[in-house]
């Protein structure tokens, strides 16, 4: 008589299922603007989208009008001694009919991952002719910082997936100013700035 332990027969398929389940467990971070989001929007719009840990974002808009109009923008964000797990798959995208036929000023930050910093700045100063001029120091007043150092083990990101995209169907016929930062990964710092200084004739 041949006796086969039942525990051995049950263990084999259970182990295979566990292996398949583990392969499906990935840490996924994703930000996506889709559908008809912000389509035909008008005016001043700021959007911050983040998926993951320790991400920092800011939209800054400032307008000054007057005889001695002037603007200075200073921003600061910081983080120290924080620990987070980098995602296996990170993506940031804009698709669908998002922002179709929109008009105005649009400042958008999309971050997917860990420890990223993003900044948008728009300033406009309308002053009488000859009152003031914008110098390099004024333009450089805004900055972004990841607030930390690079990963001590860059090779740890090997085999991980990172992607950013603006699909061809999105942002069609947009008019005005569009600022877009898209980041997928870790410890990235991005910024875009638009500074206008307009003089009007003295009356």
């Amino acid at each position: 008589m041949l006796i086969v332990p039942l525990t051995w027969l049950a263990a084999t398929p259970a182990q295979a299922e566990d292996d398949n389940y583990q392969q499906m467990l990935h840490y996924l971070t994703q930000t996506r603007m889709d559908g008809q989001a912000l389509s035909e929007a008008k005016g001043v719009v700021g959007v911050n989208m983040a998926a993951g840990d320790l991400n920092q974002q800011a939209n800054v808009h400032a307008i000054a009008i007057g005889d001695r109009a002037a603007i200075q923008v200073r921003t600061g964000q910081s983080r120290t001694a924080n620990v987070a797990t980098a995602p296996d798959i990170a993506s940031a995208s804009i698709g669908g009919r998002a922002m179709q036929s929109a008009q105005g000023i649009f400042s958008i930050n999309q971050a997917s991952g860990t420890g990223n910093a993003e900044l948008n700045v728009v300033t406009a100063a309308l002053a009488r002719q000859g009152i003031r001029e914008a110098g390099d120091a004024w333009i450089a007043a805004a900055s972004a910082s990841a607030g930390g150092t690079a990963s001590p083990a860059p090779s740890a990101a090997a085999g991980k997936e990172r992607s950013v995209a603006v699909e061809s169907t999105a942002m069609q016929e947009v008019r005005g100013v569009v600022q877009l930062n898209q980041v997928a990964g870790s410890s990235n710092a991005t910024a875009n700035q638009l500074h206008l200084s307009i003089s009007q004739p003295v009356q």
Side-chain angles (χ1 to χ4, degrees):
M1 174 188 265
L2 177 63
I3 299 176
V4 179
L6 294 178
T7 54
W8 181 84
L9 292 174
T12 301
Q15 183 65 46
E17 290 178 4
D18 290 344
D19 291 342
N20 292 333
Y21 181 69
Q22 289 298 325
Q23 291 175 359
M24 294 180 354
L25 291 179
H26 289 290
Y27 177 19
L28 167 66
T29 59
Q30 179 184 45
T31 58
R32 180 171 175 82
M33 186 185 298
D34 206 340
Q36 296 183 351
L38 298 179
S39 62
E40 300 185 9
K42 296 181 180 180
V44 179
V45 178
V47 177
N48 291 317
M49 304 173 69
D53 299 292
L54 311 177
N55 295 299
Q56 304 165 334
Q57 298 172 312
N59 306 122
V60 180
H61 303 132
I63 298 176
I65 301 175
D67 290 345
R68 300 182 180 276
I71 298 174
Q72 283 193 342
V73 175
R74 299 184 183 278
T75 65
Q77 301 182 80
S78 64
R79 61 172 180 82
T80 57
N82 293 305
V83 178
T85 300
D88 299 308
I89 302 172
S91 66
S93 61
I94 298 177
R97 300 291 179 181
M99 294 184 62
Q100 186 175 35
S101 301
Q103 301 178 39
I105 298 175
F106 298 88
S107 301
I108 302 171
N109 292 316
Q110 282 188 311
S112 180
T114 58
N116 300 296
E118 298 176 308
L119 173 67
N120 297 316
V121 177
V122 176
T123 67
L126 176 61
R128 289 186 179 274
Q129 187 175 7
I131 295 298
R132 59 175 296 279
E133 292 183 359
D136 292 340
W138 177 75
I139 292 177
S143 63
S145 172
T149 58
S151 169
S155 60
K160 297 183 183 296
E161 298 180 19
R162 306 284 182 259
S163 64
V164 297
V166 177
E167 297 172 6
S168 60
T169 58
M171 303 178 71
Q172 294 184 357
E173 299 183 13
V174 175
R175 298 179 181 179
V177 176
V178 178
Q179 297 178 304
L180 175 61
N181 291 316
Q182 287 184 310
V183 169
S186 301
S187 300
N188 298 290
T190 61
N192 45 50
Q193 306 175 37
L194 173 63
H195 301 276
L196 300 176
S197 178
I198 304 172
S199 298
Q200 60 180 350
V202 177
Q203 300 182 6

